[in-house]
Amino acid sequence: MNSFLTRRIYIAGIVLALSLVLFVAGYNQESAEAYLFPVIVAFIMLMCSLISIVREAMNLCLEDFQEFPFRTQIPVLLIMVLGVSLVEILGMFSTTLLVLLSVSYWYSPIEENNKRLIRSLIFSGGFSLAMYLLFAVMLNVQLPRGWLF
């Protein structure tokens, strides 16, 4: 087994262990209703990591891995840190919209700026709307409200 495959199995194992801990921690709470959504997310993580480990162990993965150097990730990490620090000021949904807009614009393929911006706006606006409908409307979760929304 080559080192690259071993590393991928190791990473999938870490994700599996983390999701199992999160699933058990959320499942064993007294107020099960409040932890329903985190348990669902942890369960999905658990299933995806199990599938990943099986795929790696049975060598069913494609070898189409492309390098993604850390230096190209630094701007997005800074955007995320800025976004987390602005949640209380701007509000959850507006901060999400701005962070997703910035990240999707940063990583979108190089093309005409207007088309790139429109696609990023559609993606970030749609995701923010879906998040609003899920958390504020369906689950009635109180999220930080700021100046904007």
Side-chain angles (χ1 to χ4, degrees), residues 19-68:
S19 59
L20 187 61
V21 167
L22 291 173
F23 180 76
V24 170
Y27 192 75
N28 291 329
Q29 298 297 323
E30 289 182 24
S31 58
E33 293 173 358
Y35 288 90
L36 178 62
F37 186 72
V39 165
I40 292 170
V41 171
F43 180 75
I44 292 170
M45 282 176 53
L46 185 64
M47 291 298 107
C48 288
S49 59
L50 281 173
I51 291 169
S52 180
I53 286 177
V54 168
R55 287 182 63 209
E56 295 293 343
M58 298 179 76
N59 203 16
L60 298 174
C61 294
L62 298 175
E63 293 300 326
D64 62 349
F65 180 75
Q66 296 176 357
E67 276 195 30
F68 196 57

Side-chain angles (χ1 to χ4, degrees), residues 64-144:
D64 62 349
F65 180 75
Q66 296 176 357
E67 276 195 30
F68 196 57
F70 183 71
R71 71 179 179 279
T72 62
Q73 299 173 36
I74 291 174
V76 173
L77 292 173
L78 295 175
I79 290 170
M80 296 290 184
V81 168
L82 180 66
V84 168
S85 64
L86 290 176
V87 165
E88 293 292 329
I89 298 168
L90 297 178
M92 181 68 179
F93 301 114
S94 54
T95 304
T96 300
L97 178 75
L98 293 173
V99 166
L100 284 176
L101 179 64
S102 304
V103 170
S104 63
Y105 187 81
W106 180 265
Y107 282 124
S108 63
I110 304 299
E111 57 188 8
E112 185 180 322
N113 278 340
N114 289 340
K115 185 183 282 188
R116 190 173 168 190
L117 181 63
I118 289 170
R119 287 184 182 183
S120 297
L121 272 171
I122 290 170
F123 168 73
S124 55
F127 187 85
S128 298
L129 178 64
M131 198 171 91
Y132 171 76
L133 293 173
L134 176 67
F135 290 109
V137 176
M138 292 174 61
L139 296 175
N140 201 21
V141 175
Q142 297 297 319
L143 296 171

